[in-house]
């Protein structure tokens, strides 16, 4: 599979669903195109990963095949830490992405603060639970935008990178509801959307956004 081939010999992996590894002994980064799979449920968990550029979605599939997004990982964030030796979810690149794998059985993993990674992932899960506990779709979306904005505290404009479908599967809403909620946030002059896919967010009133999440 992709993860063991990529981290093992850093060779190009054939197949449109798997990323290509262009790494040397000095550069262990793996480059992926949008929607390429990093690992899948049921695979052996050989490594953990750090996002160097781009973004990654972590998700599970329900028994009827519905996608349930657990979290989004951006630049500098780690993912792939498992409680056991088998993957319990899927990881995919959202856009053009570069990740750095660290084999779980290498000495290098000792220098990584695994407790910090685990606690960060727990905090993400708790944050998501608070978001989806909101009854109002507008409040869910406002809380999500706030979560993304918190990753860019000094920048009033940022690229969310994920699609409306990604956001819907993360918040437990329909794509149409997400679109309507974005329209309401624009009408309230809380934010402005730009870019070909309307993924670039410019916050116009951060305080008003926070007020919507209370």
């Amino acid at each position: 599979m992709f993860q063991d081939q990529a981290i093992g010999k850093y060779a190009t992996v054939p197949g449109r669903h798997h990323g290509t590894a262009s790494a040397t002994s000095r550069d262990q980064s793996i480059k992926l195109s949008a929607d390429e799979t990093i690992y899948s449920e049921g695979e052996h968990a050989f490594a953990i990963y750090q996002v160097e550029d781009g973004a990654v979605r972590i998700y599970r599939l329900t028994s009827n095949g519905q996608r349930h997004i657990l979290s989004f990982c951006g630049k500098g964030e780690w993912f792939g830490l498992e409680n056991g030796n088998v993957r319990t979810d899927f990881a995919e690149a959202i856009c053009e992405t570069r990740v750095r794998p660290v084999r779980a059985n290498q000495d290098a993993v000792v220098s990584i603060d695994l407790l910090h990674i685990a606690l960060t992932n727990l905090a993400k899960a708790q944050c998501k639970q608070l978001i989806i506990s909101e009854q109002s779709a507008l409040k869910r979306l406002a809380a999500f935008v706030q979560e993304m904005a918190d990753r860019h505290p000094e920048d009033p404009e940022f690229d969310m990178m994920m699609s409306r479908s990604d956001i819907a599967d993360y918040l437990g809403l329909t794509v149409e509801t997400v679109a309507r909620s974005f329209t309401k946030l624009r009408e309230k002059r809380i934010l402005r959307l730009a870019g070909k896919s309307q993924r670039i967010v410019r916050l116009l009133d951060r305080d008003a956004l926070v007020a919507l999440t209370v």
Side-chain angles (χ1 to χ4, degrees):
M1 301 302 290
F2 163 73
Q3 60 172 354
D4 39 312
Q5 288 180 317
I7 348 176
K9 296 185 177 180
Y10 298 101
T12 299
V13 181
R16 69 183 182 89
H17 293 299
H18 296 106
T20 56
S22 56
T24 66
S25 58
R26 293 193 308 170
D27 179 9
Q28 299 181 353
S29 298
I30 299 169
K31 296 180 181 179
L32 305 110
S33 299
D35 300 322
E36 284 196 276
T37 300
I38 301 167
Y39 58 74
S40 300
E41 179 184 11
E43 292 182 4
H44 288 290
F46 291 129
I48 59 175
Y49 301 81
Q50 185 178 40
V51 180
E52 294 188 326
D53 193 32
V56 171
R57 68 173 73 90
I58 309 298
Y59 70 94
R60 291 180 182 173
L61 294 176
T62 62
S63 57
N64 61 1
Q66 184 175 354
R67 187 179 68 164
H68 178 64
I69 294 182
L70 304 174
S71 65
F72 298 110
C73 299
K75 186 175 180 179
E77 295 183 315
W78 290 85
F79 65 96
L81 184 63
E82 296 282 354
N83 188 36
N85 296 320
V86 178
R87 296 294 183 194
T88 57
D89 46 40
F90 298 80
E92 289 178 349
I94 293 176
C95 52
E96 287 190 2
T97 297
R98 189 173 71 249
V99 300
R100 178 171 69 92
V102 176
R103 289 186 67 100
N105 61 350
Q106 283 186 333
D107 293 337
V109 79
V110 177
S111 64
I112 298 172
D113 191 342
L114 298 180
L115 177 60
H116 174 72
I117 295 173
L119 291 176
T120 299
N121 290 340
L122 176 61
K124 279 185 180 181
Q126 291 174 333
C127 180
K128 186 191 176 184
Q129 283 301 112
L130 288 174
I131 289 176
I132 63 175
S133 68
E134 294 288 354
Q135 296 300 312
S136 164
L138 182 60
K139 280 195 171 187
R140 289 192 197 185
L141 183 64
F144 170 76
V145 174
Q146 179 62 36
E147 179 189 352
M148 296 297 106
D150 285 344
R151 301 184 184 187
H152 307 82
E154 305 300 326
D155 193 350
E157 185 172 288
F158 56 91
D159 189 343
M160 288 189 301
M161 298 186 187
M162 61 281 301
S163 66
R164 298 293 185 270
S165 177
D166 282 338
I167 297 171
D169 288 350
Y170 180 72
L171 297 179
L173 301 170
T174 65
V175 174
E176 294 76 15
T177 300
V178 169
R180 286 195 297 269
S181 297
F182 266 120
T183 297
K184 291 178 181 178
L185 292 178
R186 290 201 304 267
E187 291 173 345
K188 291 177 180 291
R189 298 190 59 77
I190 291 176
L191 56 75
R192 188 165 58 226
L193 299 175
K196 183 178 180 181
S197 300
Q198 297 286 283
R199 298 181 186 181
I200 298 176
V201 175
R202 182 168 187 85
L203 290 182
L204 305 177
D205 193 337
R206 191 182 287 262
D207 290 339
L209 178 66
V210 173
L212 270 179
T213 67
V214 176

